[in-house]
């Protein structure tokens, strides 16, 4: 096509032929564009569907990889959180025991008895109460037989006296 135009332009006498060739070239270009557009429309749907399918498979693969990475990261974070929590708990327990020891020392210096001292005193008081109750119940038991013995002794004496009166 370009060669035709070059030959015609070399010949200035063929100006009407040149314009006809240009029209013919423009018509061919137009028709080629329409053909390309038509093919693009026909095959465009197929290409579009193919691209959608490929995109879907890539998305699924990407989601699977992302979920795997997220679960791995979640597991690592959970493990780290557990480790940090146990370490913090251990340190907190250590700090608490140090605080309790210092408070106990300060209270001891002030003469305040500790919980152990109070518990020991309570146990001692309980033991003393038991001993007092045992001692209190023993004399009552001994006194009861003596009291029972005295009425028994007076009854035979009364019987002896009574027959003496009958004989008189």
């Amino acid at each position: 096509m370009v060669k035709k135009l070059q030959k015609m332009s070399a010949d200035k006498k063929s100006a009407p032929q040149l314009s006809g060739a240009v029209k013919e070239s423009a018509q061919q270009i137009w028709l080629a564009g329409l053909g390309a557009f038509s093919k693009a429309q026909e095959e465009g749907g197929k290409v579009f569907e193919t691209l959608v399918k490929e995109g879907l498979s890539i998305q699924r693969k990407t989601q699977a990889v992302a979920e795997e990475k997220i679960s791995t990261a979640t597991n690592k974070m959970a493990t780290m959180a557990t480790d940090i929590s146990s370490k913090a708990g251990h340190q907190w327990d250590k700090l608490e025991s140090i605080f309790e020891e210092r408070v106990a020392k300060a209270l001891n210096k002030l003469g305040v008895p500790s919980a152990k001292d109070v518990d020991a005193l309570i146990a001692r008081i309980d033991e003393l109460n038991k001993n007092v109750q045992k001692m209190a119940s023993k004399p009552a038991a001994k006194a009861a037989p003596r009291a029972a013995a005295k009425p028994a002794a007076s009854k035979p004496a009364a019987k002896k006296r009574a027959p003496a009166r009958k004989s008189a």
Side-chain angles (χ1 to χ4, degrees), residues 57-138:
S57 81
I58 289 173
Q59 181 182 5
R60 286 180 182 158
K61 289 177 185 176
T62 304
Q63 284 178 338
V65 170
E67 287 174 2
E68 183 180 326
K69 296 289 182 181
I70 287 172
S71 67
T72 303
T74 302
N75 290 338
K76 284 183 182 179
M77 294 305 288
T79 303
M80 286 175 48
T82 303
D83 290 346
I84 289 171
S85 176
S86 67
K87 287 178 183 177
H90 180 68
Q91 292 298 325
W92 189 255
D93 290 342
K94 212 175 190 182
L95 178 64
E96 186 178 1
S97 67
I98 290 170
F99 179 75
E100 287 175 356
E101 286 175 14
R102 289 187 180 174
V103 168
K105 284 181 184 178
L107 290 174
N108 192 20
K109 285 182 182 179
L110 293 172
V112 176
S114 68
K116 289 179 183 178
D117 294 338
V118 172
D119 289 341
L121 286 173
I122 290 171
R124 189 170 172 193
I125 289 170
D126 288 343
E127 186 178 333
L128 288 172
N129 280 336
K130 288 177 187 176
N131 290 338
V132 168
Q133 287 176 355
K134 285 179 185 178
M135 293 174 80
S137 65
K138 284 183 183 179

Side-chain angles (χ1 to χ4, degrees), residues 32-50:
L34 285 177
F37 180 73
S38 173
K39 278 205 177 221
Q41 276 185 331
E42 288 175 14
E43 294 181 14
K46 293 176 187 176
V47 170
F48 182 77
E49 289 176 13
T50 304

